[in-house]
Amino acid sequence: MKNSCCFYLYGIFPAPGPETLELVGLDKQPVATHQVEGFTFLYSEAMQERYLASRRNLLQHERVLEEAMQAGYRTVLPLQFGLTVESWEEIQSELAIPYRERLTQLLQKLDGNREVSIKILWEMEAELQLVLQDDPQLKAERDRMEGKPLAMEQVIAIGQALEEALYHHQQSIIARFQQVLDPLAIATIENETLTDAMIYNTAYLIPWDDEPKFAEKVEELDLVFEERLRIRYNDFTAPFNFAKL
């Protein structure tokens, strides 16, 4: 059932914000703007009381923000998916007025900057073989135990040794990326890895016009590791990681 007099919110821009955009939001509703206390909110009419966090809905939420940014309105505080309000007075009293200073600071921080992200995935077994090549003693110990009945203590000991060696190897890869990419960033946020194969998941806030240089460094790192890592580089997204109150 349609929720009467309810607005779905996408993001906040510094006033005057987008003025001539023709965007389509959730439920194929036209996207509009409304100013509250010097902030411009991007919204559409909400046709549902609650929105399911489906892939389709999430992508549409992000698409509205990205299309606004591509149209030249680059400085935006993206709001979390599913946020609806019944009135602008609610926004005024619960967000715009009490958090005015913090919202202003966040918008100033994002002005002229953009978020990019790096996810690194590896083939753990292949990387373990590289670890063993670099540590002949560990390899000899592992090989000596293969095919033999082992006591539980022996199984635990070799398992822990392999796990520790692989962990240090993983950290050396991450450190190489950080050494090259962190100096290019204004801020970084490390997120949780999403799969067992993922070893690094980090968002970077960089100057908007420095993205080609950042992308070039990512390509160089890919070559350094002989393309054995799978690097997922997202060069354009709304700055969700750097817009948190």
Side-chain angles (χ1 to χ4, degrees), residues 2-36:
K2 178 181 178 296
N3 190 11
S4 61
C5 192
C6 193
F7 307 111
Y8 182 95
L9 305 181
Y10 299 93
I12 308 172
F13 295 81
E19 296 176 314
T20 58
L21 293 180
E22 295 184 3
L23 305 178
V24 177
L26 292 173
D27 298 317
K28 299 182 180 180
Q29 294 300 299
V31 174
T33 61
H34 187 88
Q35 288 193 26
V36 179

Side-chain angles (χ1 to χ4, degrees), residues 17-245:
E19 296 176 314
T20 58
L21 293 180
E22 295 184 3
L23 305 178
V24 177
L26 292 173
D27 298 317
K28 299 182 180 180
Q29 294 300 299
V31 174
T33 61
H34 187 88
Q35 288 193 26
V36 179
E37 299 292 329
F39 303 107
T40 298
F41 287 80
L42 203 63
Y43 76 97
S44 60
E45 187 175 357
M47 308 301 288
Q48 303 176 46
E49 292 185 1
R50 296 185 64 183
Y51 282 87
L52 177 67
S54 65
R55 184 174 185 274
R56 179 179 179 180
N57 285 343
L58 289 168
L59 288 176
Q60 187 61 35
H61 178 93
E62 295 175 9
R63 186 176 297 116
V64 167
L65 293 166
E66 291 172 3
E67 288 180 356
M69 293 169 65
Q70 288 171 337
Y73 302 97
R74 295 175 171 179
T75 304
V76 57
L77 291 177
L79 294 169
Q80 67 182 16
F81 172 82
L83 180 59
T84 60
V85 296
E86 295 183 358
S87 70
W88 295 112
E89 288 75 17
E90 181 182 350
I91 283 293
Q92 183 179 35
S93 63
E94 296 187 17
L95 179 60
I97 292 178
Y99 294 100
R100 183 200 307 273
E101 183 176 352
R102 182 59 178 147
L103 291 171
T104 300
Q105 290 173 348
L106 285 171
L107 286 168
Q108 290 173 343
K109 179 179 180 179
L110 295 175
D111 186 31
N113 301 316
R114 68 194 295 172
E115 177 178 322
V116 298
S117 64
I118 293 285
K119 294 179 176 64
I120 304 173
L121 298 94
W122 70 356
E123 297 293 340
M124 186 172 64
E125 185 58 37
E127 295 300 317
L128 177 59
Q129 295 306 314
L130 292 176
V131 169
L132 294 174
Q133 288 178 18
D134 293 337
D135 191 338
Q137 182 176 353
L138 181 61
K139 183 177 186 302
E141 184 177 355
R142 198 280 305 266
D143 292 346
R144 187 168 57 251
M145 293 184 175
E146 282 189 340
K148 296 181 179 179
L150 301 175
M152 182 59 66
E153 301 82 42
Q154 292 176 299
V155 173
I156 293 174
I158 189 61
Q160 289 178 335
L162 292 171
E163 183 177 351
E164 182 177 358
L166 194 60
Y167 173 77
H168 288 301
H169 179 63
Q170 172 184 312
Q171 293 305 304
S172 69
I173 293 174
I174 292 172
R176 183 62 181 272
F177 275 80
Q178 292 173 329
Q179 180 183 19
V180 173
L181 299 179
D182 283 10
L184 303 178
I186 296 167
T188 63
I189 293 180
E190 292 190 31
N191 295 308
E192 293 183 4
T193 53
L194 306 177
T195 67
D196 290 339
M198 187 179 296
I199 64 171
Y200 193 59
N201 179 16
T202 298
Y204 294 82
L205 187 67
I206 64 173
W208 191 277
D209 295 331
D210 286 0
E211 190 281 325
K213 180 180 179 181
F214 193 93
E216 182 180 340
K217 292 298 182 181
V218 173
E219 291 181 5
E220 290 176 1
L221 285 164
D222 195 21
L223 293 176
V224 165
F225 288 96
E226 300 175 339
E227 299 183 349
R228 72 174 195 261
L229 303 174
R230 286 176 288 157
I231 302 173
R232 296 178 181 173
Y233 173 51
N234 187 350
D235 65 351
F236 186 82
T237 182
F240 284 96
N241 284 284
F242 300 96
K244 298 176 180 177
L245 285 173

